[in-house]
Amino acid sequence: MHITVIGSGYVGTTIAACFAEFGHEVTAIDIDEEIVATLNDGQAPITEPGLDDLLETHAGDRLTATTSYDAVPESDVTFLAIGTPSNDDGSIDLGALEAAAEATGEALREKSERHLVVIKSTVTPPSIPEQLEPAIRNGADDNDAVEVGMNPEFLREGSAVIDFQNPDKLVFGTNSEWASNRLHEVFEPVLDAETPVVETDPQTAAMIKYANNAFLASKISLVNDLGNICKEFGLNAYEVMEAIGLDDRISEQFLRSGAGWGGSCFPKDVNAIIAAAREEDYDPALLEAAVEINDRQPRRMINLLKNHVDLQSARIAVLGLSFKPQTDDIRNSRAIPVIESLLSHGADVVAYDPIAIDNMAERFPDIDYAQTAAESLRGADGTLVVTDWDEFSDLDTEFDEMTTPVVIDGRRCIEHREGIVYQGLTW
Ligand code: NAD
């Protein structure tokens, strides 16, 4: 098949490269000329394990990138993978996606064969009939050959390629058997007897994505709430959670309490579904509590540090800046409120991350950045571990270089050793 993928960010680049690997001919379309040039050079515009190899293999062959929408009508299926960031009130900003949807429609105005436009972006259910489908249809001048579907994406940054090639489930939200069949053709290489395919309508497909993320985020917040209570009782939350994970109904997944969830999806998606529910005059009390508990965790880390260090003019190392290991993405990373709070207390921050320093330096240009974790610890009065990069578990004698070796671990990745004051967030 020939597939056009509109938007070459974390999702668009991953799916374009993987579709090429599946054997499809892929045209990646992005408005950003630098991203297009990077892709055509066979490099990934983002850091994601395995992505560079796929692009090196397929760029210039089965995968080409362009800023033009001309390839859309030539292709069989178009995926819209445009960002849907948060507005100040938590609702999603559909501006960029609507513009891309309209441009896609315009490109399909004259096409006479049926063409499927699939929304890959995470969008609220009502926005499909109210905004996105009309944008595509108006652009296409009501061309009946154009059909709209929804195929939410569940990949995780840091393991995006592996996740996309080995999905737990595929959700096809379509309005016709023809559209569903097209999606089966697109995903044929990963469709085996073990991969469940959920066939539904586009709005239900969109809701499945929100329900999925809201459930996972709430599970972590519940575990963090219980973890905070354990800490107040002087108990180890990990021992408690290991035991409750033995219950099949609970499962052992997502029971690691700590600094909370971040990234480009959980915060945005939970806030978006809260805002969309409020639009319908529904008060989603549990989801609001999940957000509140998540906001609390960085504050609890700072409070634990304050029990041992006067933060005014203290040198504090922040270990880990990306929202989770294996990615350079800092969107909604817990390191952001941690650094903000340290600065508001008058501390001098020295931050370290294996790959996310450049991104964080755009957000906080005036703090110090270290080249290694060891360098950040040298002369520090305290350290906060915010992301569980593997290399942090190997830190040992490096803590001896601190002026006062106070370690507040938000991810349970540092071994408690002689000579350091160690505090786990929930253990
Ligand atoms: P992103 O911001 O990384 O990428 C979006 C890309 O779209 C950018 O490269 C931008 O230049 C491009 N773009 C903007 N307007 C355009 C236009 N009119 N035409 C062509 N290109 C345009 O976004 P992302 O993280 O890839 O997320 C995309 C969607 O997928 C979002 O709705 C997100 O919620 C969802 N999602 C993301 C993840 C994730 O892990 N990042 C996982 C699942 C779902």
Side-chain angles (χ1 to χ4, degrees):
M1 293 178 96
H2 180 187
I3 298 172
T4 31
V5 178
I6 320 279
S8 302
Y10 282 86
V11 170
T13 304
T14 304
I15 71 171
C18 290
F19 284 153
E21 178 74 3
F22 290 177
H24 300 305
E25 182 190 343
V26 182
T27 308
I29 298 169
D30 202 286
I31 43 169
D32 188 319
E33 286 177 5
E34 215 177 305
I35 289 178
V36 166
T38 307
L39 282 171
N40 283 330
D41 277 351
Q43 288 163 20
I46 49 150
T47 304
E48 200 52 61
L51 197 52
D52 277 322
D53 290 345
L54 288 182
L55 290 171
E56 205 182 311
T57 310
H58 299 300
D61 180 20
R62 285 210 288 266
L63 174 70
T64 46
T66 171
T67 53
S68 152
Y69 278 65
D70 287 353
V72 170
E74 312 294 321
S75 65
D76 301 299
V77 179
T78 301
F79 283 82
L80 291 169
I82 305 289
T84 45
S86 297
N87 290 313
D88 288 344
D89 64 356
S91 63
I92 47 169
D93 176 354
L94 286 170
L97 179 55
E98 270 185 286
E102 200 170 331
T104 301
E106 274 167 21
L108 291 168
R109 224 169 238 204
E110 308 297 332
K111 187 164 178 179
S112 50
E113 301 100 78
R114 286 170 98 175
H115 188 102
L116 181 63
V117 179
V118 184
I119 301 165
K120 214 7 152 178
S121 303
T122 304
V123 296
T124 54
S127 69
I128 298 177
E130 288 168 17
Q131 284 154 281
L132 297 170
E133 196 158 354
I136 296 166
R137 297 225 165 278
N138 291 345
D141 206 12
D142 287 325
N143 181 351
D144 284 342
V146 178
E147 282 200 37
V148 176
M150 172 82 206
N151 168 230
E153 183 49 56
F154 299 94
L155 63 76
R156 295 161 300 173
E157 284 177 28
S159 53
V161 171
I162 287 183
D163 288 350
F164 190 74
Q165 293 176 340
N166 303 277
D168 285 346
K169 61 177 175 286
L170 289 165
V171 178
F172 294 166
T174 59
N175 291 311
S176 73
E177 201 181 330
W178 172 83
S180 164
N181 288 342
R182 292 259 90 171
L183 284 172
H184 277 267
E185 281 174 65
V186 171
F187 287 96
E188 201 271 329
V190 287
L191 283 175
D192 54 39
E194 263 120 68
T195 313
V197 178
V198 179
E199 304 267 6
T200 185
D201 59 274
Q203 289 199 63
T204 305
M207 188 62 200
I208 289 169
K209 171 69 186 174
Y210 279 108
N212 215 104
N213 275 359
F215 191 95
L216 291 173
S218 301
K219 185 172 183 184
I220 302 173
S221 280
L222 175 59
V223 165
N224 283 339
D225 208 18
L226 293 168
N228 293 340
I229 297 171
C230 288
K231 181 80 178 175
E232 296 297 331
F233 291 159
L235 302 175
N236 179 352
Y238 278 70
E239 206 182 322
V240 173
M241 292 305 148
E242 202 178 315
I244 72 165
L246 297 172
D247 188 323
D248 280 349
R249 295 166 304 174
I250 293 174
S251 115
E252 60 185 11
Q253 303 275 327
F254 270 58
L255 292 184
R256 288 175 55 85
S257 53
W261 34 272
S264 66
C265 287
F266 281 4
K268 170 172 81 71
D269 294 351
V270 177
N271 282 311
I273 202 65
I274 288 173
R278 283 200 197 119
E279 277 284 303
E280 307 296 325
D281 287 330
Y282 179 76
D283 174 25
L286 184 61
L287 295 180
E288 283 169 355
V291 173
E292 157 58 23
I293 290 162
N294 199 51
D295 290 345
R296 201 180 275 179
Q297 296 311 88
R299 297 201 293 270
R300 286 182 67 88
M301 286 187 79
I302 300 289
N303 287 341
L304 282 176
L305 182 62
K306 277 162 65 179
N307 290 341
H308 302 278
V309 181
D310 175 5
L311 293 182
Q312 182 63 44
S313 302
R315 186 170 173 79
I316 305 298
V318 174
L319 292 183
L321 301 173
S322 57
F323 83 92
K324 67 173 187 180
Q326 311 306 334
T327 177
D328 62 348
D329 193 348
I330 61 151
R331 288 178 284 184
N332 276 303
S333 163
R334 300 292 78 198
I336 294 172
V338 162
I339 294 171
E340 275 169 351
S341 179
L342 288 171
L343 294 176
S344 74
H345 281 86
D348 294 328
V349 176
V350 51
Y352 168 72
D353 187 283
I355 58 175
I357 286 178
D358 287 350
N359 287 341
M360 199 55 101
E362 281 180 29
R363 179 77 174 70
F364 294 104
D366 297 327
I367 63 171
D368 287 342
Y369 293 92
Q371 294 303 311
T372 61
E375 184 191 322
S376 72
L377 294 176
R378 219 164 287 143
D381 299 298
T383 185
L384 296 158
V385 184
V386 186
T387 315
D388 45 347
W389 284 100
D390 280 347
E391 64 174 77
F392 299 157
S393 323
D394 297 332
L395 291 169
D396 185 17
T397 51
E398 291 82 355
F399 292 115
D400 299 338
E401 303 286 315
M402 295 176 72
T403 304
T404 45
V406 177
V407 180
I408 310 298
D409 190 353
R411 299 293 180 189
R412 199 171 166 82
C413 60
I414 305 290
E415 190 94 11
H416 187 185
R417 62 187 282 280
E418 282 291 303
I420 63 172
V421 177
Y422 177 87
Q423 282 284 324
L425 186 53
T426 59
W427 56 98

